[in-house]
Amino acid sequence: MAVSANRLELLQIADAVAREKLIDREIVIDAMADAIQKAARSRYGQETDIRADINPKTGEIKLQRRLLVVDEVDDYSTQIALELARDRDENIQLGDYITDPLPPMDFGRIAAQSAKQVIVQKVREAERDKQFDEYKDRIGEIVNGTVKRVEYGNVIVDLGRGEAIIRRDETIPRENFRYGDRVRAYVYDVRREQRGPQIFLSRTHPQFMVKLFTMEVPEIYDGVIEIRSVARDPGSRAKIAVISNDSSIDPVGACVGMRGSRVQAVVGELQGEKIDIIPWSHDPASFIVNALQPAEVAKVVLDEDAERIEVVVPDEQLSLAIGRRGQNVRLASQLTGWDIDILTEEEESQRRQKEFVERSNLFMDALNVDEMVGQVLASEGFSQVEEVAYVDLDEIASIEGFDEDTAQELQTRAREHLEKLEAEMEAKRVELGVADDLKQIEALTTPMLVALGENDIKTLDDFAGCAADDLVGWTERKNGETKRFDGILMDFGLTRVEADEMIIKARLAAGWITEADLQSQSEEADEEAESADEQEQA
């Protein structure tokens, strides 16, 4: 059968649209079929179920009306009774469809306009889907584009096959763009939204700097050097921690390049942002000391449970360690993931002196001794009355100026003091109404029970319902700032592991769980760990 001019024209239009919009030809033909269906409904009735098929080779259009086979007909435009349907086809069943061919139709002006709108809409949706599919897998890449326009500080970028946006807060401060400027940015998110896929770019994202270094330093691209962490104050200063997997290659030197050529290329792209390249270390103390460069550090004290570190610097290095508006210490904290407290040597000396006086006074009051004895105990490293009460007797007797009788007397007084405190705390526990069954949790001391009672945790079930965070507190980090939330028992030096063990014991005692449940959970955890190890090795 010869192909008519109209049919040929239909296929030519489909081919032209598919080439222009870079979408599949079948999508365009399906859009045309949907448009013809919509136009046909305007003639035969909107409630009519009409199907249009376009032959992709000949362009022939077939119009059909579908009727659903039912027992009782409610709508004659879409349904047909089973008896009537079997007059046409003996094998037809309930739920099947029967089709009636419809004659070709000429489109009126309104029908043609409506069909055009359907085609445009379908093609636009296909374009959006293609754009989304193309860029959703490019999250984490750097793209190049041209500035199309600037709206209220937001930069609209033409990527060639789509548009992207750099929001005002994702541009480097004091950075100005004009129409036609070339721009390079990091794709950090792609979302499917009502008006089409939205591609979000950033020039302030830490990974933007990582990707720039990857492009400039072949050793990073090849995996010989790894970038472990990045902290940025966009447009001002940044710190980047690197480590080499090859002991013969200096990671810092490789990133700096000959006469600073590599790092300068990155600095130029980031509008002059100063970059400190720091060697990464497995030892947190060494890493943090490196991260605080260019300041010199005299001493560090780590608190690994709270991921907090105290750094002591010479008096003249304080302003350098803190940096302008706290920038240096803030970036070092972001880079390492630790909270950093900075003290001068003088401040640390004053604090140590204060602690010494407080400990001396503690022993003077608790043991009823004079100032000299209190100071001797404090200077020997004793910090609590419990240590004096239960330490080996010879350890106290060996202190210069003390003998065995003196040591025995000090221990007796210490134990009497602790017994007195225990009696006072026990009375307070009873007064608060804290149940006796909580005492079966071995690690819970009477002062701890008082603290729980003051926070309305008075029964075994109350304690079993706690989480470790409730007992030891927790830390939240947001936008580089760390906020510490106190726990009920945080003043007792309880670790998170110890808190979890106490809670589990309470749940066992309260009957919430059984030993079999714990065994099952332990086996599941072991299986998950083994699976993770196998995947890592693979």
Side-chain angles (χ1 to χ4, degrees), residues 309-346:
I309 187 168
E310 193 175 271
V311 177
V312 180
V313 298
D315 294 4
E316 68 276 7
Q317 292 280 316
L318 180 62
S319 59
L320 194 59
I322 294 175
R324 184 182 178 188
R325 297 177 182 172
Q327 184 186 67
N328 192 55
V329 69
R330 183 174 68 252
L331 289 176
S333 180
Q334 291 175 13
L335 188 75
T336 59
W338 286 67
D339 294 332
I340 302 175
D341 293 330
I342 296 184
L343 298 174
T344 64
E345 291 176 332
E346 183 181 351

Side-chain angles (χ1 to χ4, degrees), residues 17-18 20-24 27-32 34 113-133 161-162 192-198:
V17 171
E20 181 187 348
K21 302 297 185 181
L22 299 174
I23 58 177
D24 194 344
I27 294 175
V28 181
I29 292 176
D30 288 342
M32 289 178 167
D34 288 342
Q113 185 67 25
S114 177
K116 179 183 176 183
Q117 289 175 354
V118 172
I119 292 173
V120 169
Q121 180 65 24
K122 291 286 184 182
V123 169
R124 186 177 292 127
E125 288 175 2
E127 276 188 289
R128 289 171 176 172
D129 289 341
K130 181 177 176 60
Q131 184 177 329
F132 179 78
D133 291 337
R161 294 188 180 179
R192 194 193 295 273
E193 296 189 357
Q194 191 67 33
R195 61 180 184 275
Q198 291 292 298

Side-chain angles (χ1 to χ4, degrees), residues 132-249:
F132 179 78
D133 291 337
E134 179 180 351
Y135 282 96
K136 71 180 172 63
D137 296 325
R138 296 187 66 183
I139 293 176
E141 294 183 11
I142 287 181
V143 294
N144 295 299
T146 307
V147 175
K148 197 170 183 180
R149 61 185 183 276
V150 179
E151 299 175 346
Y152 305 106
N154 300 321
V155 183
I156 311 302
V157 181
D158 184 1
L159 300 178
R161 294 188 180 179
E163 283 187 358
I165 183 171
I166 308 177
R167 290 176 172 168
R168 183 169 54 185
D169 57 346
E170 296 293 341
T171 60
I172 295 172
R174 298 179 299 282
E175 186 174 44
N176 294 314
F177 291 101
R178 296 181 181 178
Y179 172 78
D181 286 352
R182 297 288 297 171
V183 62
R184 184 190 291 181
Y186 175 80
V187 182
Y188 73 91
D189 195 12
V190 179
R191 302 177 200 161
R192 194 193 295 273
E193 296 189 357
Q194 191 67 33
R195 61 180 184 275
Q198 291 292 298
I199 303 165
F200 295 96
L201 306 181
S202 173
R203 287 176 56 79
T204 62
H205 200 287
Q207 287 300 312
F208 182 47
M209 178 181 287
V210 172
K211 293 297 180 181
L212 289 175
F213 269 104
T214 304
M215 294 166 66
E216 294 293 335
V217 183
E219 291 87 347
I220 296 177
Y221 182 83
D222 294 336
V224 178
I225 293 175
E226 292 181 38
I227 298 175
R228 288 296 179 91
S229 58
V230 179
R232 288 184 66 190
D233 193 348
S236 177
R237 196 176 197 90
K239 291 180 183 286
I240 181 168
V242 293
I243 187 172
S244 175
N245 295 320
D246 185 340
S247 58
S248 65
I249 295 177

Side-chain angles (χ1 to χ4, degrees), residues 513-530:
I513 56 174
T514 63
E515 292 288 355
D517 294 332
L518 288 179
Q519 182 66 25
S520 175
Q521 290 175 6
S522 177
E523 291 172 356
E524 288 177 4
D526 290 341
E527 289 175 2
E528 289 177 2
E530 288 176 7

Side-chain angles (χ1 to χ4, degrees), residues 222-362:
D222 294 336
V224 178
I225 293 175
E226 292 181 38
I227 298 175
R228 288 296 179 91
S229 58
V230 179
R232 288 184 66 190
D233 193 348
S236 177
R237 196 176 197 90
K239 291 180 183 286
I240 181 168
V242 293
I243 187 172
S244 175
N245 295 320
D246 185 340
S247 58
S248 65
I249 295 177
D250 173 24
V252 175
C255 292
V256 172
M258 185 72 70
R259 296 180 182 176
S261 59
R262 291 175 174 177
V263 72
Q264 284 304 318
V266 178
V267 169
E269 179 64 42
L270 299 177
Q271 304 296 312
E273 189 172 315
K274 296 176 183 177
I275 302 173
D276 297 332
I277 303 173
I278 294 159
W280 189 86
S281 172
H282 291 281
D283 176 30
S286 299
F287 184 28
I288 291 165
V289 169
N290 292 336
L292 283 169
Q293 292 177 0
E296 297 177 5
V297 176
K299 185 171 69 173
V300 296
V301 180
L302 286 172
D303 181 354
E304 294 190 3
D305 290 333
E307 288 196 342
R308 196 173 194 90
I309 187 168
E310 193 175 271
V311 177
V312 180
V313 298
D315 294 4
E316 68 276 7
Q317 292 280 316
L318 180 62
S319 59
L320 194 59
I322 294 175
R324 184 182 178 188
R325 297 177 182 172
Q327 184 186 67
N328 192 55
V329 69
R330 183 174 68 252
L331 289 176
S333 180
Q334 291 175 13
L335 188 75
T336 59
W338 286 67
D339 294 332
I340 302 175
D341 293 330
I342 296 184
L343 298 174
T344 64
E345 291 176 332
E346 183 181 351
E347 287 172 336
E348 192 218 8
S349 175
Q350 291 174 352
R351 194 192 64 181
R352 289 170 67 87
Q353 183 63 31
K354 182 182 177 183
E355 289 176 353
F356 178 77
V357 172
E358 287 175 350
R359 288 202 302 270
S360 299
N361 291 336
L362 170 66

